[in-house]
Every structure is written in C-alpha cells, then in structure tokens.
Amino acid sequence: MAQAHRPTGPDSGAPSGTAPAFTQRNRLLRLGAPPVAATVLTATVALYMALVAFGNITDFGTNQQFVQHVLSMDTTFKDPDLMWRAVESRALQNAAYVAVIVWEALAALVLLAATWFWITGLRRDAYDRARAASTVGLVMVLLLFGMGFLAIGGEWFAMWQSSDWNGLDAAARNVALAAFTLLVVYLPAVRRAGAERT
C-alpha cells in the first residue's frame, strides 16, 4: 500500500523549530515590502509637517519676519518693473502667514490619519484608504511648497533675488520628499497587494 503524502507546514507535525523560523523570516521579508516603505515615508512627512506647524505656532515671530520680507520684496534687487507686486500691508502679510500655518497643520493631520490607515492596512493588506489619504496630504504639501514657495514666493515675489530671506532650497527639498513619497505610495506592488485582497 502506498504511503499517503504528508503535508508539511506549521500544523503538519513538522519539527517545532521550523515553523517559527519560517514565520520570523517572512516577517523580516515583509518589512522590506513597498507598503511598509509607503507607511514609513508617509509617517516621516506627517511628523515633519507637524513639527513645522508646531514650530511656527510656538515661535510665531521667526517665520513671520520671513513672510513679511518675502511679500514686501525689500531684500530683492528692487527692480521697478517688479516692485509693484510687493505686498506691504502688515495685515495681509500676517493673514498670509496664518494661512500657511493652518495649511501646514491640516496637511499634518491628514498625513497622520494616512499613517494610521497604512498601519491598520498592513494587518489586512488593504491600502485604498491609506493611499487616498496620503494622496490628499502629500498634494497639500506639494501645493504649499511647490506652488506657494517655489512659484509664488520664488518667482512672483522674486525671492530668488534675496540672499537673506530665501527659502527656495528648503522648499525644493520638501517638494522632492513629498513627490518621492507619492511615487512610492503608487508603486505597482503596493496597488497590486491591496487589489489581490479586495
């Protein structure tokens, strides 16, 4: 009589040391999966935006001066063909600064929520909510630093001309981080993992 095939696995009577080792190796390999990378990157941007907003709230005056100088264009080349763009009203300058802080705080909250969705999604291999929330938060960051600082601040208010109040390098780094994170969030492996289990 032929002997029946005996399956192997954690519940098949395999040696007790095999299953834990196999499970541990799977967990380690899972740490290198794209969804984990998306989680970590989203959390990084969320923490950064939260700290930026917190810093601007608790140390209001430092970046208030930055916004005032950028909008008033008082440290640019003061080309008459450009100076008509300057905003010299303190009320408008402060309103713009408060709007930036509110935007930063909202982006941080959205990205913190996205991070939580990623963490809970890792347990169920479901990433649709995490991807959607990450997209909203990261696009908010791109709008702030790309459109707000690079385009409007850098070009419209000629911030590139200022050696004292120039935030273009920092804005470019923030745009690069947010854009890279957005790319990782939409990696095919991340999307496929969620699709296979929905």
Side-chain angles (χ1 to χ4, degrees), residues 4 14 20 47 55 67 88 96 106 111 113 118 131 137 148 160 163 166 185-186:
L47 176 62
V67 172
E88 298 179 347
L106 288 174
L111 288 168
W118 280 112
R131 191 178 300 110
W160 65 270
S163 58
N166 190 325
V185 164
Y186 279 91

Side-chain angles (χ1 to χ4, degrees), residues 37 77 80 175:
F77 301 160
V175 167

Side-chain angles (χ1 to χ4, degrees), residues 32-83:
V36 176
T39 304
V40 172
L41 284 168
T42 302
T44 300
V45 182
L47 176 62
Y48 174 77
M49 291 304 298
L51 292 175
V52 168
F54 180 76
N56 285 337
I57 292 169
T58 57
D59 184 22
F60 190 85
T62 299
N63 281 329
Q64 181 185 31
Q65 293 181 46
F66 172 82
V67 172
Q68 288 173 351
H69 285 292
V70 169
L71 296 183
S72 65
M73 300 173 66
D74 58 357
T75 59
T76 64
F77 301 160
K78 297 186 178 180
D79 186 336
D81 293 333
L82 297 178
M83 289 305 293

Side-chain angles (χ1 to χ4, degrees), residues 138-150:
L138 293 168
V139 168
M140 290 178 72
V141 174
L142 290 172
L143 286 173
L144 175 63
F145 292 107
M147 183 184 293
F149 282 79
L150 294 180

Side-chain angles (χ1 to χ4, degrees), residues 66-173:
F66 172 82
V67 172
Q68 288 173 351
H69 285 292
V70 169
L71 296 183
S72 65
M73 300 173 66
D74 58 357
T75 59
T76 64
F77 301 160
K78 297 186 178 180
D79 186 336
D81 293 333
L82 297 178
M83 289 305 293
W84 61 271
R85 302 176 183 177
V87 175
E88 298 179 347
S89 166
R90 281 298 172 92
L92 290 177
Q93 291 172 354
N94 289 335
Y97 182 43
V98 170
V100 167
I101 294 174
V102 170
W103 190 267
E104 290 168 345
L106 288 174
L109 289 174
V110 172
L111 288 168
L112 287 170
T115 301
W116 175 251
F117 292 151
W118 280 112
I119 292 171
T120 57
L122 287 173
R123 298 174 186 168
R124 299 178 288 110
D125 285 333
Y127 308 116
D128 288 341
R129 285 199 307 170
R131 191 178 300 110
S134 294
T135 301
V136 173
L138 293 168
V139 168
M140 290 178 72
V141 174
L142 290 172
L143 286 173
L144 175 63
F145 292 107
M147 183 184 293
F149 282 79
L150 294 180
I152 297 175
E155 292 302 320
W156 183 256
F157 290 107
M159 183 167 56
W160 65 270
Q161 297 180 2
S162 176
S163 58
D164 297 322
W165 301 98
N166 190 325
L168 293 178
D169 287 344
R173 289 195 299 270

